[in-house]
Amino acid sequence: MLSLNVTNETSRLRAVVLGTAVSNGDVPSIEEAYDPKSIEHIKAGTYPDEADMIKEMEAVNNVFSKYDVKVFRPKIIENYNQIFARDIAFVIDNKFIKANILPDREQELDALQHVIDQINPTDIVKPPDAVHIEGGDVMLWNDYIFIGTYKGEDYPDHITARTNLEGVQFIKALFPNKIVKEFDLAKSKTEARDNALHLDCCFQPVGKDKGIIYKDGFRAESDYMYLVDLFGADNLFYITRDEMYNMNSNVFSIDEHIVISEEKFVRLNTWLRSKDFIVEEVPYAEISKQEGLLRCSTMPLVRD
């Protein structure tokens, strides 16, 4: 059996689900795309090639192997996008919480049944249908659970709005001893530079007390200032609009000192190293064209 344990983003990683780009399917039509960045690349003819994405994901798999992390992969579904493992489920403490994802993506969870079978059934949680929540919006920081949401009245019209206020209330009820703080995120169906698809598109903790943040990813300045005050202004790396577009906040921590980051994030990687982090650089620019990066394609199961 798997003894699930995840209480933050940066404790030593022992077991993780890494998505797969094998048999990713044809380039989707514009109507089939879920986010403005994918649409941008479909229109431009620059949508990522499957072979390139497989190479990128194997580079991450190799880093996990280097650090003796147990890696689970989804069962391959023919012609189906299974890259973003974080969307479909996530772990808080010892609970495996299934996301109520877009209906087109329900097969992705079925492809992880061999992992789910190793989890104590009493630790598996399926929210009611009215609850929308995806793992990219759920960020753990010890006693805190940060949740990205969208509070606009046009929530039902935004395919880029993935976590609703019912999702926030569900997590509050499930973890009454945690401080659950929601953040109202900026959404755009047409401009990827103004769309925080999930919370990890505009914020993520690294190390013990540091973080990466993009101010304009938050609709309310008070939400942004909450994190600045909590972490301390000097402990945050402030990314630009273009860096947010390229997903600089979407790195992934193996422990408090080791971060997997995209090789082109020169400014961020330089800052991380100046703070004594080991930065494991990988190519991930092709996968980022689908508005997801390292955190999106990984689902931690066990951390120390």
Side-chain angles (χ1 to χ4, degrees), residues 17-21 24 34-35 38 47-48 53 57 74 80-89 101 105 108 112 134-136 162 197-198 200 247 250 284 286-299:
V17 174
L18 175 65
T20 180
N24 198 60
Y34 297 127
D35 65 88
S38 292
Y47 194 80
M53 293 191 292
M57 299 198 82
Y80 199 81
N81 188 328
Q82 295 175 267
I83 292 171
F84 298 121
R86 181 81 62 154
D87 291 354
I88 58 177
I101 47 175
R105 299 184 60 186
E108 286 181 70
L112 285 179
E134 290 189 357
R162 301 294 177 79
L197 187 64
H198 292 122
D200 58 18
M247 316 223 57
N250 209 281
Y284 233 57
E286 292 305 301
I287 283 170
S288 81
K289 292 176 179 179
Q290 297 179 75
E291 206 155 348
L293 207 78
L294 292 153
R295 188 177 187 273
C296 299
S297 57
T298 49
M299 186 212 307

Side-chain angles (χ1 to χ4, degrees), residues 9-24:
E9 302 297 319
T10 65
S11 289
R12 178 63 161 92
L13 183 70
R14 301 297 176 185
V16 67
V17 174
L18 175 65
T20 180
V22 174
S23 194
N24 198 60

